[in-house]
Amino acid sequence: MSEVQPTPGGADDPVRNAIDPSKRLTPQIVQQIRDMIMSGEAPGNTALRTEHLAARFGVSATPVREALMSLSGEGLVELRPGRGFRVVQMSRQDFIDIYDAQAYFAGELAGRAALHITDDQVRELYVMQEQILRSIERGDSEAERIEWDLHALINRVAEANKLRWLLRLTVRYAPFRAWSTVEGWSEAAPEDHLPLLRGLSHRSPRTARDAMTAHIRNVGELLANHLTTRGILVPDETPAEVTRSLVEGIPAPPRLRDRHY
């Protein structure tokens, strides 16, 4: 089993510098560990040692333990009695399920936004769309930030705080930032926006909702393929594999064997 090793933790260490001591430490460490898991730095079954993480982040062991317990409650990390914490291996289907939930909430928010959006806000969204296209043409990562701002504006316009809260929960379970590294994203995301923007500009809740739902599912599939290729997600068993294990008495892979119903 692999194990996350501490980094030097000096003044120039970007991980340590990312921790703001003036703010609550535990939520920051939770986010850092999530990023380690989703980036592949800490893949499934990696041991997470409290003392190593504390040295990495330049903090005491207490907020690290609190962060690991929080992630354990989310299902990203498992506490094994007497053996500490380890990263839970996520399957491709688990990941797609998260994005399907995200697509539903984002779609509902877009539909609500179509009822409240102003002409100025529609123009702002089209400006962001042009900025995304220019950023992609330049080959920089600014498109990722603008994409985030575009979605954030739509979510705010929706005036549905509970839906926004539920959407944030799904994003928390599947954090990812480096979209420009995902094959197909630079073509798919801008194209997906066009029916969405038309639905919003025409004040059509159904069109905006369906376009946003399709957009999130599309990029979720692209990201799942990307993370599976990198070994961060476990490929799903094919029906033939499952049938063979049942017929021949071959033990099913751990991700089937350990699933509880």
Side-chain angles (χ1 to χ4, degrees):
M1 180 185 298
S2 60
E3 180 176 320
V4 173
Q5 297 296 327
T7 58
D12 295 329
D13 180 7
V15 173
R16 184 169 186 175
N17 291 338
I19 301 295
D20 186 347
S22 67
K23 299 178 181 178
R24 286 191 60 211
L25 295 177
T26 299
Q28 297 181 75
I29 296 170
V30 166
Q31 186 60 55
Q32 292 281 350
I33 298 174
R34 279 201 200 102
D35 289 345
M36 290 166 56
I37 294 171
M38 296 310 300
S39 68
E41 180 184 352
N45 297 317
T46 298
L48 298 173
R49 305 295 184 191
T50 302
E51 63 274 17
H52 290 174
L53 291 170
R56 176 191 180 97
F57 301 135
V59 299
S60 69
T62 298
V64 173
R65 280 195 295 268
E66 292 173 350
L68 290 171
M69 288 303 299
S70 177
L71 290 166
S72 175
E74 296 177 12
L76 286 178
V77 167
E78 177 187 33
L79 173 59
R80 301 163 302 157
R83 293 188 293 170
F85 295 89
R86 74 173 180 93
V87 177
V88 173
Q89 181 71 73
M90 185 183 295
S91 74
R92 186 182 188 282
Q93 186 58 57
D94 289 336
F95 189 83
I96 290 295
D97 289 343
I98 292 171
Y99 263 83
D100 281 347
Q102 187 179 142
Y104 172 78
F105 294 124
E108 289 298 311
L109 284 164
R112 303 281 183 90
L115 299 174
H116 301 287
I117 198 163
T118 66
D119 289 342
D120 286 343
Q121 289 166 334
V122 168
R123 283 191 288 271
E124 185 176 355
L125 290 174
Y126 274 102
V127 168
M128 290 180 180
Q129 173 76 350
E130 288 300 318
Q131 291 173 338
I132 290 172
L133 292 173
R134 287 198 296 271
S135 174
I136 290 173
E137 289 175 357
R138 292 193 303 268
D140 60 39
S141 60
E142 185 69 6
E144 299 166 12
R145 181 193 62 78
I146 303 168
E147 167 87 3
W148 182 271
D149 290 344
L150 183 147
H151 283 267
L153 174 57
I154 294 171
N155 294 340
R156 288 195 304 272
V157 171
E159 299 181 12
N161 290 335
K162 292 299 182 182
L163 281 176
R164 288 175 64 191
W165 176 73
L166 289 167
L167 177 64
R168 284 195 295 270
L169 288 180
T170 65
V171 173
R172 185 176 70 181
Y173 280 103
F176 191 78
R177 291 190 176 89
W179 282 100
S180 60
T181 65
V182 177
E183 184 177 356
W185 178 83
S186 60
E187 296 82 15
E191 291 180 5
D192 289 353
H193 291 166
L194 296 177
L196 170 62
L197 296 181
R198 284 196 295 269
L200 292 169
S201 61
H202 295 156
R203 275 55 171 191
S204 171
R206 180 174 180 177
T207 301
R209 180 179 64 247
D210 292 350
M212 179 65 87
T213 300
H215 171 45
I216 299 299
R217 284 180 171 166
N218 186 23
V219 297
E221 286 279 351
L222 293 174
L223 181 54
N225 293 340
H226 175 76
L227 296 177
T228 302
T229 300
R230 296 177 62 187
I232 298 171
L233 301 179
V234 175
D236 301 313
E237 297 83 2
T238 65
E241 289 176 326
V242 177
T243 301
R244 182 169 175 264
S245 70
L246 294 173
V247 172
E248 299 182 11
I250 300 172
R255 54 190 182 280
L256 281 183
R257 191 170 61 242
D258 297 341
R259 190 169 292 168
H260 299 289
Y261 297 92

